[in-house]
Amino acid sequence: IGFVIFVNEATAVKSLVPDFKILAEVEARNVVVAAAAGRSDGGTGSDEGGVEFRCFCPRLGIDEDQVTGSACVNLALIYARLREKYGTWVQARQQSKAG
């Protein structure tokens, strides 16, 4: 993973319309945008549902990686560490058009 950006609302992840020309200038393999699943109230809701994310890789010639297992695994580990959810399952949902 290049950069991971956590936002407060899961709805922002799904509705995000990135500028791929600008993202292609970022010196990173990819940029992942994520939020606690189901959180849509500005950050005060429960995050027990895991994490929702989208992965952008225009620098590699792929505007949005629709089915990225590697980002999912790494993101789940980062999320578990941030939320101190060690030894428990963390669900990650990719919010691309492919689902």
Side-chain angles (χ1 to χ4, degrees):
I1 292 183
F3 291 105
V4 176
I5 302 167
F6 278 94
V7 296
N8 285 334
E9 298 184 12
T11 54
V13 174
K14 192 168 189 175
S15 64
L16 184 66
V17 180
D19 184 328
F20 295 115
K21 288 182 183 178
I22 291 175
L23 277 178
E25 296 176 13
V26 175
E27 292 187 24
R29 182 174 173 232
N30 56 21
V31 176
V32 176
V33 179
R39 183 170 278 184
S40 60
D41 57 5
T44 59
S46 171
D47 60 359
E48 294 298 317
V51 62
E52 295 183 17
F53 72 98
R54 289 174 66 194
C55 182
F56 306 103
C57 316
R59 193 170 180 91
L60 300 176
I62 305 167
D63 286 343
E64 182 168 1
D65 190 341
Q66 303 273 329
V67 287
T68 176
S70 62
C72 183
V73 170
N74 287 298
L75 189 57
L77 292 171
I78 293 167
Y79 177 81
R81 185 169 189 185
L82 289 173
R83 300 289 190 228
E84 296 184 358
K85 293 188 175 287
Y86 303 108
T88 63
W89 285 96
V90 174
Q91 182 177 7
R93 281 189 295 267
Q94 189 161 354
Q95 291 298 328
S96 66
K97 290 179 184 176

